[in-house]
Structures are given as C-alpha cells and as structure tokens.
Amino acid sequence: MNGRKHWYDYLWIVTPVYLGLGFFNILFAWLGMIFFCLPLLIAIFGGGKLYCNRYCDRGQFLSLLGGRLKLSRNRPTPRWMGTRAFRYGFLIFFFLMFFQMLWTTFLVGAGARSVGEFVKLFWTFRLPWHWAYHGTLLAPWVAQFAFGFYSIMLTSTLIGLIVMALFKPRSWCVFCPMGTMTQLICRLRAGRPPEEEGCSGGCAVCGGCGE
Amino acid sequence: MASKRFARVEARRCVACGCCVKVCPLSAVGVWRGVTARVDTDRCVGCGRCAKECPAGAIDLKDREGAA
C-alpha cells in the first residue's frame, strides 16, 4: 500500500463523465469501446490484468462509493457469484446480449428498422432517451450502436452499484465479463509456471498449474 | 520475528482484481501474470486487510506451522 497518488488513481471520474455525456448526446457512447478493447489488448499483449488492477474506472468508482463513502454494507459476496459456472455463464449471457445488439445495429444499417431512440435497462425495460439523439451526419446505424452500447454500459454499472451496496465495494469484479475474459486470456498465456518461480504443483497458491 | 499467521490465496476463487495488492501495507501481495494473487509469505504479517478487502472471498488467514 503506497500513499502516493498517481494520475490513474483519479480514473474513477471517467464513469460519471461517460454516463453523463451519454445523457446529453448518445454518440459519446462510442467512447465506451475504449473500456471494451483496452483490457483485452493489455491481456493479449502480455500486460496481464493491469487494466483491472490499475486503470479500471468502474472498479475505482465502486471502491470510492463503497469504501470511502461507506455506501456498501461490506458483507461477503455470495459464494455462488464467484463460481466458474456463474462467471462463465454470465460472460456467455453478456456476449449473447452483445451480439443481439450488433444484430439490431445491422438491421438499422440495412434499412430494415429505424433507430430505436431508447435505452434498454437490464435487457428488458425500455427507457425513453430521445433527447440525447440530435441526428447524425453519419449513417443511422452509428446512433443505433451507440444506444445499444450505452444500454450495456448503464445496465452493467447499475448491477455493479447494486452488488456494491449489498455486498463488498468491488463485488462486481467477481463476475465482471471483461475481468473473466481477461483472466481467461491470462490463464491461457501463463501456462504452467516453471520450477524457478517456485511451483511445487497442486499447491493452489497461484493456479498456474490448473490444479 | 515471524507473525503467527499469514494470508493464503485460494487460486480457484481469485479473480485477480488486485484489490488485495492495493491494501497490503507491506507490499506482500502481487498479481501473478494476471491469473491470481500471490502472497509473499515471508513478508506477510497476517494483518488480514487483504482478506477483508477481497470481493471474491479468496483469501483466508492460516496459522504458521510451529506458531504458538
């Protein structure tokens, strides 16, 4: 624990700014692609989970609310939320919803549908959001993707806030689809740790051996 | 003098979020290749901050062998 603050310790501000910008102009939702691509690129190119550990704005935001502002009950996260079945199940569900969003974007791009000027919360509830769409000089599918992507970002932030309040500040991290995906990439990259790294096999300390 | 307890990570439960790293006062915890947290048991004094912080409940405190 080091008391010195770094620039990346203030990244929590990104979450409210991102959601705020999307409230006024939905096209800002495209910025969310950074949070989507960066963790994967870092993990793929050998940076491990540096994004989760250091740069995740949402993780910091939840830590701030639940930790410093004490908005969390700080109770243990239910064990089933941390099981591989739930984590990978949630990842698959998240991807299915993501591809459904891409399909809707495709339909708008093909002219089969008009832009749905609403945000879908929890993949179910349609929330009017027409004030944030002022038309676009670009193709309509650009706006449709923005509405869909913002829906995903807002829904996942709300889920994060709910589990933050009920359990530990960063309970969302336990089943965060990006975290699960990057950890999977890291696992595949890491393989079996060599002897010189102190692996005695099956010790359940690092997990690198897959035990 | 070695402490009586030390933190132990249950790798199967660890999500490598790094929460434990941030709160360890002795920098005894690190994230190994993005796979799991790892504790330097020689440095760890078993204060339990990491266990308290861990959202996945993957860290517990274990008695050192031979500790009274």
Side-chain angles (χ1 to χ4, degrees):
Chain A
M1 192 171 65
N2 190 340
R4 235 181 71 200
K5 287 267 186 187
H6 299 89
W7 64 270
Y8 48 78
D9 291 320
Y10 300 95
L11 284 173
W12 58 267
I13 195 82
V14 172
T15 296
V17 167
Y18 175 77
L19 294 177
L21 287 173
F23 188 81
F24 294 105
N25 192 326
I26 198 66
L27 294 179
F28 281 114
W30 274 88
L31 290 173
M33 287 302 285
I34 300 170
F35 321 131
F36 198 79
C37 298
L38 204 57
L40 294 177
L41 290 173
I42 291 174
I44 289 167
F45 291 106
K49 291 202 39 159
L50 194 66
Y51 185 84
C52 297
N53 303 160
R54 191 178 283 181
Y55 304 118
C56 178
D57 55 292
R58 184 177 297 170
Q60 288 185 18
F61 186 63
L62 295 171
S63 275
L64 180 77
L65 295 184
R68 208 177 298 173
L69 300 182
K70 300 196 186 306
L71 295 176
S72 171
R73 289 165 74 226
N74 233 337
R75 301 285 163 86
T77 311
R79 283 188 81 80
W80 57 267
M81 278 189 186
T83 57
R84 284 193 183 174
F86 182 74
R87 292 181 68 207
Y88 287 114
F90 191 69
L91 175 67
I92 291 165
F93 170 75
F94 215 81
F95 259 92
L96 287 175
M97 295 297 113
F98 187 78
F99 285 120
Q100 192 202 32
M101 183 269 283
L102 289 182
W103 174 246
T104 310
T105 305
F106 169 76
L107 290 178
V108 171
R113 274 177 74 157
S114 56
V115 177
E117 295 177 27
F118 55 83
V119 161
K120 220 173 196 179
L121 276 188
F122 301 104
W123 305 280
T124 312
F125 309 108
R126 287 184 179 192
L127 212 64
W129 214 265
H130 49 84
W131 59 80
Y133 181 50
H134 314 283
T136 173
L137 294 171
L138 308 165
W141 68 264
V142 175
Q144 181 58 52
F145 181 86
F147 275 112
F149 202 78
Y150 190 78
S151 302
I152 291 174
M153 296 301 276
L154 188 59
T155 297
S156 52
T157 306
L158 288 174
I159 295 174
L161 287 170
I162 292 167
V163 292
M164 176 274 288
L166 292 175
F167 311 115
K168 296 214 172 184
R170 285 185 68 160
S171 287
W172 163 254
C173 302
V174 175
F175 58 95
C176 166
M178 295 311 296
T180 306
M181 212 159 25
T182 49
Q183 193 181 22
L184 185 65
I185 293 167
C186 291
R187 254 184 223 283
L188 295 173
R189 276 186 62 96
R192 198 182 173 88
E195 291 292 329
E196 61 266 28
E197 289 197 27
C199 175
S200 53
C203 62
V205 170
C206 73
C209 58
E211 293 288 330
Chain B
M1 190 180 76
S3 60
K4 287 180 183 173
R5 298 189 301 174
F6 68 97
R8 186 177 184 278
V9 179
E10 192 187 337
R12 290 181 69 89
R13 297 200 66 83
C14 180
V15 296
C17 62
C19 293
C20 48
V21 180
K22 286 179 187 162
V23 295
C24 179
L26 294 171
S27 304
V29 198
V31 175
W32 183 80
R33 294 189 185 180
V35 176
T36 182
R38 237 180 179 183
V39 179
D40 181 342
T41 50
D42 293 331
R43 271 191 184 186
C44 179
V45 293
C47 69
R49 280 199 203 180
C50 52
K52 200 178 162 195
E53 193 73 15
C54 178
I59 305 179
D60 58 0
L61 296 177
K62 210 169 176 257
D63 290 327
R64 285 187 197 273
E65 279 177 31

